[in-house]
PDB file of all heavy atoms in Angstrom:
ATOM      1  N   SER Z   8       0.864  -1.176   0.000  1.00  0.00           N
ATOM      2  CA  SER Z   8       0.000   0.000   0.000  1.00  0.00           C
ATOM      3  C   SER Z   8       0.898   1.223   0.000  1.00  0.00           C
ATOM      4  O   SER Z   8       1.264   1.757   1.048  1.00  0.00           O
ATOM      5  CB  SER Z   8      -0.897  -0.001   1.238  1.00  0.00           C
ATOM      6  OG  SER Z   8      -1.668   1.169   1.303  1.00  0.00           O
ATOM      7  N   LEU Z   9       1.300   1.649  -1.194  1.00  0.00           N
ATOM      8  CA  LEU Z   9       2.216   2.780  -1.313  1.00  0.00           C
ATOM      9  C   LEU Z   9       1.484   4.088  -1.025  1.00  0.00           C
ATOM     10  O   LEU Z   9       0.282   4.202  -1.192  1.00  0.00           O
ATOM     11  CB  LEU Z   9       2.820   2.832  -2.716  1.00  0.00           C
ATOM     12  CG  LEU Z   9       3.746   1.675  -3.070  1.00  0.00           C
ATOM     13  CD1 LEU Z   9       4.194   1.791  -4.506  1.00  0.00           C
ATOM     14  CD2 LEU Z   9       4.949   1.639  -2.146  1.00  0.00           C
ATOM     15  N   GLY Z  10       2.231   5.088  -0.627  1.00  0.00           N
ATOM     16  CA  GLY Z  10       1.654   6.381  -0.337  1.00  0.00           C
ATOM     17  C   GLY Z  10       1.616   6.689   1.140  1.00  0.00           C
ATOM     18  O   GLY Z  10       1.343   7.820   1.547  1.00  0.00           O
ATOM     19  N   ASP Z  11       1.870   5.694   1.985  1.00  0.00           N
ATOM     20  CA  ASP Z  11       1.882   5.933   3.423  1.00  0.00           C
ATOM     21  C   ASP Z  11       3.131   6.709   3.855  1.00  0.00           C
ATOM     22  O   ASP Z  11       3.118   7.396   4.861  1.00  0.00           O
ATOM     23  CB  ASP Z  11       1.828   4.611   4.192  1.00  0.00           C
ATOM     24  CG  ASP Z  11       0.465   3.955   4.067  1.00  0.00           C
ATOM     25  OD1 ASP Z  11      -0.536   4.651   4.305  1.00  0.00           O
ATOM     26  OD2 ASP Z  11       0.402   2.763   3.733  1.00  0.00           O
ATOM     27  N   PHE Z  12       4.215   6.534   3.091  1.00  0.00           N
ATOM     28  CA  PHE Z  12       5.461   7.187   3.453  1.00  0.00           C
ATOM     29  C   PHE Z  12       5.881   8.102   2.304  1.00  0.00           C
ATOM     30  O   PHE Z  12       6.245   7.627   1.235  1.00  0.00           O
ATOM     31  CB  PHE Z  12       6.543   6.145   3.735  1.00  0.00           C
ATOM     32  CG  PHE Z  12       6.104   5.150   4.761  1.00  0.00           C
ATOM     33  CD1 PHE Z  12       5.748   3.866   4.388  1.00  0.00           C
ATOM     34  CD2 PHE Z  12       5.998   5.527   6.084  1.00  0.00           C
ATOM     35  CE1 PHE Z  12       5.317   2.961   5.337  1.00  0.00           C
ATOM     36  CE2 PHE Z  12       5.565   4.624   7.028  1.00  0.00           C
ATOM     37  CZ  PHE Z  12       5.220   3.339   6.661  1.00  0.00           C
ATOM     38  N   PRO Z  13       5.795   9.430   2.512  1.00  0.00           N
ATOM     39  CA  PRO Z  13       6.019  10.385   1.425  1.00  0.00           C
ATOM     40  C   PRO Z  13       7.383  10.231   0.773  1.00  0.00           C
ATOM     41  O   PRO Z  13       8.391  10.030   1.437  1.00  0.00           O
ATOM     42  CB  PRO Z  13       5.910  11.743   2.139  1.00  0.00           C
ATOM     43  CG  PRO Z  13       5.108  11.466   3.369  1.00  0.00           C
ATOM     44  CD  PRO Z  13       5.488  10.070   3.787  1.00  0.00           C
ATOM     45  N   SER Z  14       7.392  10.312  -0.535  1.00  0.00           N
ATOM     46  CA  SER Z  14       8.637  10.361  -1.295  1.00  0.00           C
ATOM     47  C   SER Z  14       8.313  10.983  -2.638  1.00  0.00           C
ATOM     48  O   SER Z  14       7.151  11.156  -2.997  1.00  0.00           O
ATOM     49  CB  SER Z  14       9.241   8.960  -1.483  1.00  0.00           C
ATOM     50  OG  SER Z  14       8.558   8.261  -2.498  1.00  0.00           O
ATOM     51  N   ARG Z  15       9.334  11.290  -3.390  1.00  0.00           N
ATOM     52  CA  ARG Z  15       9.104  11.969  -4.660  1.00  0.00           C
ATOM     53  C   ARG Z  15       8.419  11.077  -5.680  1.00  0.00           C
ATOM     54  O   ARG Z  15       7.888  11.545  -6.669  1.00  0.00           O
ATOM     55  CB  ARG Z  15      10.432  12.461  -5.224  1.00  0.00           C
ATOM     56  CG  ARG Z  15      11.425  11.332  -5.479  1.00  0.00           C
ATOM     57  CD  ARG Z  15      12.767  11.870  -5.909  1.00  0.00           C
ATOM     58  NE  ARG Z  15      13.754  10.807  -5.991  1.00  0.00           N
ATOM     59  CZ  ARG Z  15      15.020  11.018  -6.335  1.00  0.00           C
ATOM     60  NH1 ARG Z  15      15.417  12.222  -6.634  1.00  0.00           N
ATOM     61  NH2 ARG Z  15      15.868  10.007  -6.383  1.00  0.00           N
ATOM     62  N   THR Z  16       8.441   9.771  -5.475  1.00  0.00           N
ATOM     63  CA  THR Z  16       7.842   8.853  -6.442  1.00  0.00           C
ATOM     64  C   THR Z  16       6.432   8.421  -6.054  1.00  0.00           C
ATOM     65  O   THR Z  16       5.763   7.750  -6.816  1.00  0.00           O
ATOM     66  CB  THR Z  16       8.704   7.589  -6.591  1.00  0.00           C
ATOM     67  OG1 THR Z  16       8.729   6.904  -5.346  1.00  0.00           O
ATOM     68  CG2 THR Z  16      10.112   7.937  -7.020  1.00  0.00           C
ATOM     69  N   ASP Z  17       5.973   8.793  -4.853  1.00  0.00           N
ATOM     70  CA  ASP Z  17       4.723   8.236  -4.343  1.00  0.00           C
ATOM     71  C   ASP Z  17       3.524   8.473  -5.256  1.00  0.00           C
ATOM     72  O   ASP Z  17       2.753   7.567  -5.514  1.00  0.00           O
ATOM     73  CB  ASP Z  17       4.401   8.809  -2.961  1.00  0.00           C
ATOM     74  CG  ASP Z  17       5.044   7.989  -1.840  1.00  0.00           C
ATOM     75  OD1 ASP Z  17       5.581   6.906  -2.124  1.00  0.00           O
ATOM     76  OD2 ASP Z  17       4.995   8.448  -0.698  1.00  0.00           O
ATOM     77  N   THR Z  18       3.345   9.709  -5.726  1.00  0.00           N
ATOM     78  CA  THR Z  18       2.123  10.048  -6.453  1.00  0.00           C
ATOM     79  C   THR Z  18       1.956   9.192  -7.694  1.00  0.00           C
ATOM     80  O   THR Z  18       0.922   8.550  -7.897  1.00  0.00           O
ATOM     81  CB  THR Z  18       2.126  11.535  -6.838  1.00  0.00           C
ATOM     82  OG1 THR Z  18       2.240  12.320  -5.658  1.00  0.00           O
ATOM     83  CG2 THR Z  18       0.833  11.890  -7.557  1.00  0.00           C
ATOM     84  N   LEU Z  19       2.973   9.160  -8.533  1.00  0.00           N
ATOM     85  CA  LEU Z  19       2.875   8.434  -9.794  1.00  0.00           C
ATOM     86  C   LEU Z  19       2.841   6.920  -9.577  1.00  0.00           C
ATOM     87  O   LEU Z  19       2.022   6.210 -10.161  1.00  0.00           O
ATOM     88  CB  LEU Z  19       4.044   8.806 -10.702  1.00  0.00           C
ATOM     89  CG  LEU Z  19       4.008   8.278 -12.131  1.00  0.00           C
ATOM     90  CD1 LEU Z  19       2.728   8.713 -12.830  1.00  0.00           C
ATOM     91  CD2 LEU Z  19       5.218   8.771 -12.909  1.00  0.00           C
ATOM     92  N   VAL Z  20       3.719   6.412  -8.719  1.00  0.00           N
ATOM     93  CA  VAL Z  20       3.764   4.974  -8.482  1.00  0.00           C
ATOM     94  C   VAL Z  20       2.489   4.509  -7.787  1.00  0.00           C
ATOM     95  O   VAL Z  20       1.945   3.450  -8.103  1.00  0.00           O
ATOM     96  CB  VAL Z  20       5.007   4.594  -7.656  1.00  0.00           C
ATOM     97  CG1 VAL Z  20       4.998   3.103  -7.322  1.00  0.00           C
ATOM     98  CG2 VAL Z  20       6.276   4.945  -8.427  1.00  0.00           C
ATOM     99  N   SER Z  21       1.990   5.296  -6.841  1.00  0.00           N
ATOM    100  CA  SER Z  21       0.758   4.922  -6.164  1.00  0.00           C
ATOM    101  C   SER Z  21      -0.406   4.847  -7.140  1.00  0.00           C
ATOM    102  O   SER Z  21      -1.270   3.975  -7.033  1.00  0.00           O
ATOM    103  CB  SER Z  21       0.438   5.930  -5.051  1.00  0.00           C
ATOM    104  OG  SER Z  21       1.398   5.867  -4.026  1.00  0.00           O
ATOM    105  N   ALA Z  22      -0.445   5.760  -8.100  1.00  0.00           N
ATOM    106  CA  ALA Z  22      -1.502   5.717  -9.113  1.00  0.00           C
ATOM    107  C   ALA Z  22      -1.409   4.439  -9.935  1.00  0.00           C
ATOM    108  O   ALA Z  22      -2.419   3.781 -10.219  1.00  0.00           O
ATOM    109  CB  ALA Z  22      -1.397   6.936 -10.031  1.00  0.00           C
ATOM    110  N   ALA Z  23      -0.183   4.047 -10.280  1.00  0.00           N
ATOM    111  CA  ALA Z  23       0.011   2.814 -11.039  1.00  0.00           C
ATOM    112  C   ALA Z  23      -0.396   1.604 -10.219  1.00  0.00           C
ATOM    113  O   ALA Z  23      -1.023   0.664 -10.720  1.00  0.00           O
ATOM    114  CB  ALA Z  23       1.470   2.703 -11.480  1.00  0.00           C
ATOM    115  N   LYS Z  24      -0.040   1.606  -8.933  1.00  0.00           N
ATOM    116  CA  LYS Z  24      -0.371   0.461  -8.094  1.00  0.00           C
ATOM    117  C   LYS Z  24      -1.882   0.365  -7.855  1.00  0.00           C
ATOM    118  O   LYS Z  24      -2.431  -0.727  -7.735  1.00  0.00           O
ATOM    119  CB  LYS Z  24       0.360   0.563  -6.748  1.00  0.00           C
ATOM    120  CG  LYS Z  24       1.865   0.565  -6.877  1.00  0.00           C
ATOM    121  CD  LYS Z  24       2.398  -0.725  -7.444  1.00  0.00           C
ATOM    122  CE  LYS Z  24       2.602  -1.757  -6.383  1.00  0.00           C
ATOM    123  NZ  LYS Z  24       3.262  -2.976  -6.908  1.00  0.00           N
ATOM    124  N   ALA Z  25      -2.555   1.520  -7.791  1.00  0.00           N
ATOM    125  CA  ALA Z  25      -4.008   1.496  -7.657  1.00  0.00           C
ATOM    126  C   ALA Z  25      -4.640   0.855  -8.880  1.00  0.00           C
ATOM    127  O   ALA Z  25      -5.568   0.036  -8.775  1.00  0.00           O
ATOM    128  CB  ALA Z  25      -4.541   2.914  -7.458  1.00  0.00           C
ATOM    129  N   ALA Z  26      -4.137   1.204 -10.062  1.00  0.00           N
ATOM    130  CA  ALA Z  26      -4.636   0.581 -11.288  1.00  0.00           C
ATOM    131  C   ALA Z  26      -4.342  -0.913 -11.286  1.00  0.00           C
ATOM    132  O   ALA Z  26      -5.159  -1.730 -11.729  1.00  0.00           O
ATOM    133  CB  ALA Z  26      -3.990   1.254 -12.505  1.00  0.00           C
ATOM    134  N   ASP Z  27      -3.187  -1.282 -10.754  1.00  0.00           N
ATOM    135  CA  ASP Z  27      -2.804  -2.686 -10.693  1.00  0.00           C
ATOM    136  C   ASP Z  27      -3.754  -3.476  -9.799  1.00  0.00           C
ATOM    137  O   ASP Z  27      -4.113  -4.612 -10.088  1.00  0.00           O
ATOM    138  CB  ASP Z  27      -1.371  -2.790 -10.172  1.00  0.00           C
ATOM    139  CG  ASP Z  27      -0.865  -4.224 -10.156  1.00  0.00           C
ATOM    140  OD1 ASP Z  27      -0.953  -4.885 -11.200  1.00  0.00           O
ATOM    141  OD2 ASP Z  27      -0.396  -4.674  -9.107  1.00  0.00           O
ATOM    142  N   ARG Z  28      -4.193  -2.871  -8.717  1.00  0.00           N
ATOM    143  CA  ARG Z  28      -5.125  -3.569  -7.828  1.00  0.00           C
ATOM    144  C   ARG Z  28      -6.465  -3.818  -8.512  1.00  0.00           C
ATOM    145  O   ARG Z  28      -7.088  -4.872  -8.328  1.00  0.00           O
ATOM    146  CB  ARG Z  28      -5.344  -2.753  -6.551  1.00  0.00           C
ATOM    147  CG  ARG Z  28      -4.130  -2.714  -5.663  1.00  0.00           C
ATOM    148  CD  ARG Z  28      -4.506  -2.173  -4.310  1.00  0.00           C
ATOM    149  NE  ARG Z  28      -3.336  -1.634  -3.638  1.00  0.00           N
ATOM    150  CZ  ARG Z  28      -3.388  -0.975  -2.496  1.00  0.00           C
ATOM    151  NH1 ARG Z  28      -4.552  -0.761  -1.921  1.00  0.00           N
ATOM    152  NH2 ARG Z  28      -2.294  -0.519  -1.926  1.00  0.00           N
ATOM    153  N   VAL Z  29      -6.904  -2.845  -9.287  1.00  0.00           N
ATOM    154  CA  VAL Z  29      -8.149  -3.047 -10.036  1.00  0.00           C
ATOM    155  C   VAL Z  29      -7.994  -4.218 -11.002  1.00  0.00           C
ATOM    156  O   VAL Z  29      -8.896  -5.046 -11.163  1.00  0.00           O
ATOM    157  CB  VAL Z  29      -8.530  -1.760 -10.801  1.00  0.00           C
ATOM    158  CG1 VAL Z  29      -9.718  -2.021 -11.716  1.00  0.00           C
ATOM    159  CG2 VAL Z  29      -8.865  -0.644  -9.819  1.00  0.00           C
ATOM    160  N   MET Z  30      -6.813  -4.317 -11.638  1.00  0.00           N
ATOM    161  CA  MET Z  30      -6.570  -5.415 -12.565  1.00  0.00           C
ATOM    162  C   MET Z  30      -6.558  -6.763 -11.843  1.00  0.00           C
ATOM    163  O   MET Z  30      -6.825  -7.796 -12.445  1.00  0.00           O
ATOM    164  CB  MET Z  30      -5.244  -5.191 -13.299  1.00  0.00           C
ATOM    165  CG  MET Z  30      -5.280  -4.008 -14.251  1.00  0.00           C
ATOM    166  SD  MET Z  30      -3.730  -3.802 -15.151  1.00  0.00           S
ATOM    167  CE  MET Z  30      -3.749  -5.254 -16.178  1.00  0.00           C
ATOM    168  N   SER Z  31      -6.272  -6.757 -10.532  1.00  0.00           N
ATOM    169  CA  SER Z  31      -6.278  -8.006  -9.777  1.00  0.00           C
ATOM    170  C   SER Z  31      -7.663  -8.641  -9.759  1.00  0.00           C
ATOM    171  O   SER Z  31      -7.784  -9.866  -9.729  1.00  0.00           O
ATOM    172  CB  SER Z  31      -5.810  -7.768  -8.336  1.00  0.00           C
ATOM    173  OG  SER Z  31      -4.419  -7.847  -8.243  1.00  0.00           O
ATOM    174  N   TYR Z  32      -8.698  -7.809  -9.751  1.00  0.00           N
ATOM    175  CA  TYR Z  32     -10.051  -8.354  -9.745  1.00  0.00           C
ATOM    176  C   TYR Z  32     -10.329  -9.123 -11.042  1.00  0.00           C
ATOM    177  O   TYR Z  32     -10.952 -10.184 -11.030  1.00  0.00           O
ATOM    178  CB  TYR Z  32     -11.073  -7.238  -9.549  1.00  0.00           C
ATOM    179  CG  TYR Z  32     -11.020  -6.628  -8.176  1.00  0.00           C
ATOM    180  CD1 TYR Z  32     -10.421  -5.393  -7.968  1.00  0.00           C
ATOM    181  CD2 TYR Z  32     -11.544  -7.294  -7.077  1.00  0.00           C
ATOM    182  CE1 TYR Z  32     -10.355  -4.834  -6.701  1.00  0.00           C
ATOM    183  CE2 TYR Z  32     -11.482  -6.737  -5.802  1.00  0.00           C
ATOM    184  CZ  TYR Z  32     -10.889  -5.501  -5.626  1.00  0.00           C
ATOM    185  OH  TYR Z  32     -10.824  -4.960  -4.376  1.00  0.00           O
ATOM    186  N   ALA Z  33      -9.846  -8.569 -12.159  1.00  0.00           N
ATOM    187  CA  ALA Z  33     -10.004  -9.267 -13.433  1.00  0.00           C
ATOM    188  C   ALA Z  33      -9.186 -10.552 -13.440  1.00  0.00           C
ATOM    189  O   ALA Z  33      -9.636 -11.590 -13.944  1.00  0.00           O
ATOM    190  CB  ALA Z  33      -9.571  -8.350 -14.583  1.00  0.00           C
ATOM    191  N   LEU Z  34      -7.986 -10.507 -12.868  1.00  0.00           N
ATOM    192  CA  LEU Z  34      -7.151 -11.701 -12.802  1.00  0.00           C
ATOM    193  C   LEU Z  34      -7.814 -12.773 -11.946  1.00  0.00           C
ATOM    194  O   LEU Z  34      -7.787 -13.959 -12.285  1.00  0.00           O
ATOM    195  CB  LEU Z  34      -5.783 -11.350 -12.223  1.00  0.00           C
ATOM    196  CG  LEU Z  34      -4.817 -12.523 -12.046  1.00  0.00           C
ATOM    197  CD1 LEU Z  34      -4.433 -13.111 -13.388  1.00  0.00           C
ATOM    198  CD2 LEU Z  34      -3.563 -12.071 -11.283  1.00  0.00           C
ATOM    199  N   ALA Z  35      -8.425 -12.357 -10.835  1.00  0.00           N
ATOM    200  CA  ALA Z  35      -9.113 -13.313  -9.969  1.00  0.00           C
ATOM    201  C   ALA Z  35     -10.239 -14.012 -10.719  1.00  0.00           C
ATOM    202  O   ALA Z  35     -10.455 -15.217 -10.563  1.00  0.00           O
ATOM    203  CB  ALA Z  35      -9.668 -12.595  -8.740  1.00  0.00           C
ATOM    204  N   ASP Z  36     -10.948 -13.266 -11.562  1.00  0.00           N
ATOM    205  CA  ASP Z  36     -12.026 -13.868 -12.330  1.00  0.00           C
ATOM    206  C   ASP Z  36     -11.475 -14.850 -13.358  1.00  0.00           C
ATOM    207  O   ASP Z  36     -12.045 -15.932 -13.572  1.00  0.00           O
ATOM    208  CB  ASP Z  36     -12.832 -12.773 -13.029  1.00  0.00           C
ATOM    209  CG  ASP Z  36     -14.055 -13.320 -13.744  1.00  0.00           C
ATOM    210  OD1 ASP Z  36     -14.921 -13.909 -13.070  1.00  0.00           O
ATOM    211  OD2 ASP Z  36     -14.134 -13.175 -14.978  1.00  0.00           O
ATOM    212  N   THR Z  37     -10.355 -14.499 -13.985  1.00  0.00           N
ATOM    213  CA  THR Z  37      -9.711 -15.408 -14.930  1.00  0.00           C
ATOM    214  C   THR Z  37      -9.294 -16.697 -14.227  1.00  0.00           C
ATOM    215  O   THR Z  37      -9.492 -17.803 -14.749  1.00  0.00           O
ATOM    216  CB  THR Z  37      -8.480 -14.740 -15.564  1.00  0.00           C
ATOM    217  OG1 THR Z  37      -8.884 -13.563 -16.265  1.00  0.00           O
ATOM    218  CG2 THR Z  37      -7.775 -15.691 -16.531  1.00  0.00           C
ATOM    219  N   CYS Z  38      -8.712 -16.562 -13.037  1.00  0.00           N
ATOM    220  CA  CYS Z  38      -8.309 -17.746 -12.269  1.00  0.00           C
ATOM    221  C   CYS Z  38      -9.521 -18.620 -11.955  1.00  0.00           C
ATOM    222  O   CYS Z  38      -9.473 -19.850 -12.088  1.00  0.00           O
ATOM    223  CB  CYS Z  38      -7.622 -17.321 -10.974  1.00  0.00           C
ATOM    224  SG  CYS Z  38      -5.967 -16.635 -11.184  1.00  0.00           S
ATOM    225  N   ARG Z  39     -10.606 -17.993 -11.544  1.00  0.00           N
ATOM    226  CA  ARG Z  39     -11.815 -18.745 -11.187  1.00  0.00           C
ATOM    227  C   ARG Z  39     -12.306 -19.565 -12.371  1.00  0.00           C
ATOM    228  O   ARG Z  39     -12.655 -20.738 -12.229  1.00  0.00           O
ATOM    229  CB  ARG Z  39     -12.903 -17.778 -10.722  1.00  0.00           C
ATOM    230  CG  ARG Z  39     -14.227 -18.456 -10.376  1.00  0.00           C
ATOM    231  CD  ARG Z  39     -15.281 -17.417 -10.027  1.00  0.00           C
ATOM    232  NE  ARG Z  39     -15.475 -16.468 -11.094  1.00  0.00           N
ATOM    233  CZ  ARG Z  39     -16.204 -16.706 -12.198  1.00  0.00           C
ATOM    234  NH1 ARG Z  39     -16.789 -17.885 -12.346  1.00  0.00           N
ATOM    235  NH2 ARG Z  39     -16.341 -15.785 -13.128  1.00  0.00           N
ATOM    236  N   ARG Z  40     -12.327 -18.949 -13.544  1.00  0.00           N
ATOM    237  CA  ARG Z  40     -12.833 -19.646 -14.733  1.00  0.00           C
ATOM    238  C   ARG Z  40     -11.931 -20.794 -15.152  1.00  0.00           C
ATOM    239  O   ARG Z  40     -12.395 -21.745 -15.784  1.00  0.00           O
ATOM    240  CB  ARG Z  40     -13.018 -18.646 -15.887  1.00  0.00           C
ATOM    241  CG  ARG Z  40     -14.214 -17.715 -15.686  1.00  0.00           C
ATOM    242  CD  ARG Z  40     -14.489 -16.836 -16.889  1.00  0.00           C
ATOM    243  NE  ARG Z  40     -13.616 -15.674 -16.926  1.00  0.00           N
ATOM    244  CZ  ARG Z  40     -12.596 -15.519 -17.744  1.00  0.00           C
ATOM    245  NH1 ARG Z  40     -12.292 -16.483 -18.611  1.00  0.00           N
ATOM    246  NH2 ARG Z  40     -11.861 -14.423 -17.729  1.00  0.00           N
ATOM    247  N   ARG Z  41     -10.646 -20.714 -14.803  1.00  0.00           N
ATOM    248  CA  ARG Z  41      -9.708 -21.776 -15.177  1.00  0.00           C
ATOM    249  C   ARG Z  41      -9.518 -22.815 -14.072  1.00  0.00           C
ATOM    250  O   ARG Z  41      -8.721 -23.722 -14.216  1.00  0.00           O
ATOM    251  CB  ARG Z  41      -8.349 -21.160 -15.545  1.00  0.00           C
ATOM    252  CG  ARG Z  41      -8.363 -20.408 -16.868  1.00  0.00           C
ATOM    253  CD  ARG Z  41      -6.948 -20.051 -17.297  1.00  0.00           C
ATOM    254  NE  ARG Z  41      -6.079 -21.224 -17.371  1.00  0.00           N
ATOM    255  CZ  ARG Z  41      -6.020 -22.069 -18.391  1.00  0.00           C
ATOM    256  NH1 ARG Z  41      -6.800 -21.870 -19.438  1.00  0.00           N
ATOM    257  NH2 ARG Z  41      -5.182 -23.089 -18.376  1.00  0.00           N
ATOM    258  N   GLY Z  42     -10.245 -22.664 -12.961  1.00  0.00           N
ATOM    259  CA  GLY Z  42     -10.097 -23.619 -11.869  1.00  0.00           C
ATOM    260  C   GLY Z  42      -8.820 -23.437 -11.089  1.00  0.00           C
ATOM    261  O   GLY Z  42      -8.274 -24.387 -10.515  1.00  0.00           O
ATOM    262  N   VAL Z  43      -8.318 -22.195 -11.064  1.00  0.00           N
ATOM    263  CA  VAL Z  43      -7.080 -21.861 -10.352  1.00  0.00           C
ATOM    264  C   VAL Z  43      -7.443 -21.024  -9.125  1.00  0.00           C
ATOM    265  O   VAL Z  43      -8.188 -20.058  -9.225  1.00  0.00           O
ATOM    266  CB  VAL Z  43      -6.121 -21.069 -11.270  1.00  0.00           C
ATOM    267  CG1 VAL Z  43      -4.902 -20.574 -10.491  1.00  0.00           C
ATOM    268  CG2 VAL Z  43      -5.683 -21.933 -12.450  1.00  0.00           C
ATOM    269  N   SER Z  44      -6.917 -21.403  -7.962  1.00  0.00           N
ATOM    270  CA  SER Z  44      -7.166 -20.628  -6.744  1.00  0.00           C
ATOM    271  C   SER Z  44      -6.483 -19.274  -6.841  1.00  0.00           C
ATOM    272  O   SER Z  44      -5.448 -19.123  -7.483  1.00  0.00           O
ATOM    273  CB  SER Z  44      -6.622 -21.368  -5.524  1.00  0.00           C
ATOM    274  OG  SER Z  44      -7.243 -22.620  -5.367  1.00  0.00           O
ATOM    275  N   PHE Z  45      -7.068 -18.281  -6.172  1.00  0.00           N
ATOM    276  CA  PHE Z  45      -6.484 -16.944  -6.187  1.00  0.00           C
ATOM    277  C   PHE Z  45      -6.511 -16.362  -4.777  1.00  0.00           C
ATOM    278  O   PHE Z  45      -7.523 -16.423  -4.099  1.00  0.00           O
ATOM    279  CB  PHE Z  45      -7.259 -16.013  -7.123  1.00  0.00           C
ATOM    280  CG  PHE Z  45      -6.707 -14.611  -7.159  1.00  0.00           C
ATOM    281  CD1 PHE Z  45      -5.644 -14.292  -7.975  1.00  0.00           C
ATOM    282  CD2 PHE Z  45      -7.253 -13.618  -6.353  1.00  0.00           C
ATOM    283  CE1 PHE Z  45      -5.128 -13.009  -8.007  1.00  0.00           C
ATOM    284  CE2 PHE Z  45      -6.734 -12.329  -6.373  1.00  0.00           C
ATOM    285  CZ  PHE Z  45      -5.673 -12.017  -7.202  1.00  0.00           C
ATOM    286  N   GLY Z  46      -5.384 -15.827  -4.348  1.00  0.00           N
ATOM    287  CA  GLY Z  46      -5.303 -15.166  -3.051  1.00  0.00           C
ATOM    288  C   GLY Z  46      -4.573 -13.851  -3.193  1.00  0.00           C
ATOM    289  O   GLY Z  46      -3.772 -13.665  -4.116  1.00  0.00           O
ATOM    290  N   SER Z  47      -4.860 -12.912  -2.308  1.00  0.00           N
ATOM    291  CA  SER Z  47      -4.160 -11.633  -2.355  1.00  0.00           C
ATOM    292  C   SER Z  47      -3.876 -11.148  -0.946  1.00  0.00           C
ATOM    293  O   SER Z  47      -4.654 -11.381  -0.019  1.00  0.00           O
ATOM    294  CB  SER Z  47      -4.989 -10.589  -3.106  1.00  0.00           C
ATOM    295  OG  SER Z  47      -6.232 -10.375  -2.455  1.00  0.00           O
ATOM    296  N   LEU Z  48      -2.751 -10.493  -0.793  1.00  0.00           N
ATOM    297  CA  LEU Z  48      -2.350  -9.956   0.497  1.00  0.00           C
ATOM    298  C   LEU Z  48      -1.737  -8.585   0.251  1.00  0.00           C
ATOM    299  O   LEU Z  48      -0.840  -8.437  -0.569  1.00  0.00           O
ATOM    300  CB  LEU Z  48      -1.344 -10.894   1.162  1.00  0.00           C
ATOM    301  CG  LEU Z  48      -0.884 -10.541   2.581  1.00  0.00           C
ATOM    302  CD1 LEU Z  48      -0.577 -11.817   3.353  1.00  0.00           C
ATOM    303  CD2 LEU Z  48       0.344  -9.645   2.557  1.00  0.00           C
ATOM    304  N   VAL Z  49      -2.267  -7.579   0.927  1.00  0.00           N
ATOM    305  CA  VAL Z  49      -1.743  -6.220   0.804  1.00  0.00           C
ATOM    306  C   VAL Z  49      -1.105  -5.839   2.128  1.00  0.00           C
ATOM    307  O   VAL Z  49      -1.728  -5.937   3.174  1.00  0.00           O
ATOM    308  CB  VAL Z  49      -2.860  -5.211   0.461  1.00  0.00           C
ATOM    309  CG1 VAL Z  49      -2.293  -3.786   0.420  1.00  0.00           C
ATOM    310  CG2 VAL Z  49      -3.488  -5.547  -0.888  1.00  0.00           C
ATOM    311  N   LEU Z  50       0.154  -5.422   2.070  1.00  0.00           N
ATOM    312  CA  LEU Z  50       0.825  -5.005   3.291  1.00  0.00           C
ATOM    313  C   LEU Z  50       1.302  -3.568   3.136  1.00  0.00           C
ATOM    314  O   LEU Z  50       1.577  -3.115   2.028  1.00  0.00           O
ATOM    315  CB  LEU Z  50       2.009  -5.917   3.603  1.00  0.00           C
ATOM    316  CG  LEU Z  50       3.022  -6.114   2.483  1.00  0.00           C
ATOM    317  CD1 LEU Z  50       4.413  -5.690   2.946  1.00  0.00           C
ATOM    318  CD2 LEU Z  50       3.034  -7.573   2.065  1.00  0.00           C
TER     319      LEU Z  50
END
């Protein structure tokens, strides 16, 4: 979960990581359709 600790890269990288998390939902659906388990952990 980027953005908790300020740095010069936070804004742009955090935006990319937010988009990446949205893509995880699509990946989870792909896994489900293929009979593949899916887990996620955000630290």
Side-chain angles (χ1 to χ4, degrees):
S8 176
L9 293 176
D11 289 310
F12 306 105
S14 78
R15 60 185 173 181
T16 63
D17 272 351
T18 302
L19 188 56
V20 176
S21 294
K24 299 296 275 186
D27 183 53
R28 290 193 203 173
V29 173
M30 292 182 68
S31 273
Y32 292 103
L34 178 65
D36 185 60
T37 300
C38 288
R39 178 184 57 79
R40 287 186 279 106
R41 289 191 55 82
V43 173
S44 299
F45 179 83
S47 61
L48 184 149
V49 177
L50 53 122

